[in-house]
Amino acid sequence: MDNLLETKKINNPLSGEITIPPDKSISHRSLIFGALTKGKIKIKNLSLGADCLSTLKIFEKLGVKYAWLNERDLISDSSNGFIENTHLTFDCGNSGTTTRLLMGMLAGLNLTSNLIGDKSLSKRPMKRVIEPLELMGAKITSNENKLPIKIEGRKLKGIEYFSKIPSAQVKSCLMLAGLNAEGETVLYENVLSRNHSEIMLEYLGANIQTGQDEKGFFVKIKKSSLIPKDLEVVGDISSAAFFMVAGAIVPNSKILIKNVGINPTRSGILDIFKQAKINFELKNERFISNEKVADILVSYTKEIKPFTIEGALIPRLIDEIPILAVLAACAKGQSIIKDAKDLRNKESDRIKTIVEAFKEFDVDIVEKEDGFIINGKDKISKNVTLETFLDHRLAMSYFVLSLINEKTTKIKGFDCINTSFPEFLNLVKSLGYNG
């Protein structure tokens, strides 16, 4: 794929059915919790994204054996446990999930670990996990709360901790530490963050309790041995989102997206589709490895209503905000996205970059500190050249908007999508795109 993608308006509907790639969050957790079962299990439909492969390579270094059955399924064998009493360096690549989750696990192992990453990851803050781990007794040396990080494994003790910013990575890190700590580890959040770890730990038989009381949403976990059980990864709703919006805005389109995870902590986009009066329905609802799944049928919607994204909705759709901004640009009226300041700390400052790109399209958009206000328009007709800043979600969102641009759209650095969704263009072509 060329580094510059040039595309024009699609003159036919997008139609057909697709199966989108596996969920990366669940793939990471399948590798991590699967290895902690200390047994032999099958993991089906694993994401092959670079981030998940970083996690897999680290566990190979720890002594886990993997046998591929085909390009998506493998056998994970951790029957012999992890390597101990040594000093290992683990390269986390570009993966913040790998880094933060494994810090919780490594802090309680009989092992000294050095965690390193690429240039981008090495700039990302790790204080939000270092702080609670040190309260549990972890010994961590860092570069001003950034990588490289040294962890000298030792016995941990359970704590009660209130997470200031709801975060699935912080929560999962502490659960992994709590699995091997003395006493009970309790984490509170005022808004429930993604709960894939809790679901998988319950499925694998951990001593875990979840709920809500006067202090907020809680997870309580005690030292546990996990039961070896096969795991299957469901489709990623963050990837499905691009096709959901494309189906809604490209005239006369009708797309069936199969095997999509609709976990309530991740499916905020469905709430927005209801607000916007998009023509969609959930079919074949079911559970796979305790995760809720459905096939999503989306049809072209002529009158898209404006919508508001705020408050408790934000953690449930933070990754989908760039593509939902595209939906807002096509709505009849004013849509508001607020309480989303964390967008400024993603692969790029997504608030700033979305505002700049939409202004290139002549979309009426106003930047706010924690989001933006978009006044939708009937027609987009502007020759534009856009920067992705190597942000894959921006690249794919701009592509979807280009499908209804009457003039030419050029997207620089479009190949950044290869790190997360290399199948994207082929799937769009399978639905009728021939650009």
Side-chain angles (χ1 to χ4, degrees), residues 67-78:
W68 290 94
L69 302 174
N70 52 53
E71 63 174 16
R72 290 275 188 210
D73 305 342
L74 55 73
I75 299 293
S76 167
D77 185 357
S78 54

Side-chain angles (χ1 to χ4, degrees), residues 11 23 107 132 141 205 209-210 212-213 252 318 356 365 385 398 428:
N11 292 312
D23 188 288
T141 310
Q209 183 186 353
T210 60
Q212 185 179 13
D213 61 23
N252 304 314
I318 189 74
E356 288 174 354
I365 184 167
T385 300
Y398 299 158
V428 185

Side-chain angles (χ1 to χ4, degrees), residues 128-415:
R128 61 171 74 173
V129 291
I130 291 173
E131 196 171 70
L133 287 175
E134 288 183 334
L135 292 173
M136 295 180 76
K139 187 173 183 185
I140 299 172
T141 310
S142 70
N143 176 30
E144 296 181 342
N145 291 313
K146 297 183 178 73
L147 295 178
I149 285 172
K150 181 180 180 183
I151 300 172
E152 296 175 57
R154 52 180 55 197
K155 283 192 167 68
L156 304 179
K157 62 181 187 301
I159 57 167
E160 182 176 300
Y161 188 75
F162 193 95
S163 188
K164 301 175 190 72
I165 300 172
S167 164
Q169 291 184 1
V170 173
K171 183 168 59 173
S172 299
C173 169
L174 291 199
M175 281 189 271
L176 280 158
L179 277 174
N180 199 26
E182 296 303 322
E184 185 173 61
T185 301
V186 184
L187 179 126
Y188 279 98
E189 300 177 304
N190 58 357
V191 175
L192 183 63
S193 63
R194 295 179 183 184
N195 66 351
H196 298 305
S197 292
E198 296 96 300
I199 285 172
M200 193 173 291
L201 284 168
E202 286 173 1
Y203 178 71
L204 296 173
N207 187 345
I208 184 171
Q209 183 186 353
T210 60
Q212 185 179 13
D213 61 23
E214 67 282 352
K215 293 182 186 177
F217 294 94
F218 65 78
V219 180
K220 300 178 180 181
I221 192 162
K222 293 180 179 176
K223 186 177 281 197
S224 306
S225 296
L226 303 184
I227 301 162
K229 288 170 79 173
D230 291 347
L231 296 163
E232 182 173 348
V233 181
V234 302
D236 182 11
I237 196 165
S238 300
S239 299
F242 301 104
F243 296 92
M244 292 166 67
V245 171
I249 69 174
V250 174
N252 304 314
S253 293
K254 192 170 189 176
I255 304 173
L256 181 68
I257 310 159
K258 302 184 78 174
N259 195 40
V260 183
I262 55 167
N263 179 312
T265 65
R266 290 282 301 281
S267 58
I269 187 172
L270 300 180
D271 294 17
I272 296 304
F273 266 42
K274 288 172 187 171
Q275 262 194 67
K277 305 296 183 191
I278 303 298
N279 296 321
F280 83 100
E281 58 182 302
L282 302 180
K283 294 177 167 290
N284 191 21
E285 292 186 55
R286 59 206 185 274
F287 286 88
I288 294 175
S289 296
N290 276 15
E291 287 280 356
K292 195 173 184 185
V293 184
D295 302 335
I296 303 176
L297 181 66
V298 181
S299 304
Y300 171 62
T301 305
K302 192 170 184 181
E303 290 285 325
I304 297 171
K305 302 297 182 188
F307 52 86
T308 299
I309 302 175
E310 62 182 339
L313 254 180
I314 296 294
R316 297 177 56 222
L317 48 59
I318 189 74
D319 289 337
E320 289 75 71
I321 287 178
I323 190 62
L324 287 172
V326 171
L327 188 69
C330 303
K332 306 286 191 263
Q334 186 177 89
S335 296
I336 299 168
I337 291 93
K338 60 182 182 179
D339 302 327
K341 193 173 180 180
D342 200 36
L343 284 174
R344 294 194 184 274
N345 302 314
K346 295 293 181 178
E347 283 83 342
S348 67
D349 178 343
R350 285 184 179 160
I351 293 174
K352 181 172 181 281
T353 48
I354 287 169
V355 169
E356 288 174 354
F358 278 38
K359 284 180 176 175
E360 289 290 315
F361 280 110
D362 279 343
V363 172
D364 181 1
I365 184 167
V366 178
E367 181 174 352
K368 298 290 184 181
E369 181 61 25
D370 63 346
F372 32 77
I373 298 169
I374 298 174
N375 290 292
K377 54 189 300 182
D378 293 329
K379 189 166 81 168
I380 291 172
S381 183
K382 183 86 183 289
N383 287 319
V384 297
T385 300
L386 304 170
E387 293 278 359
T388 61
F389 300 99
L390 303 181
D391 188 326
H392 55 120
R393 295 197 193 281
L394 293 184
M396 290 182 280
S397 298
Y398 299 158
F399 177 89
V400 172
L401 190 52
S402 81
L403 295 174
I404 58 165
N405 182 11
E406 303 278 350
K407 296 194 175 173
T408 301
T409 306
K410 295 179 181 178
I411 307 172
K412 290 183 177 178
F414 190 78
D415 57 359

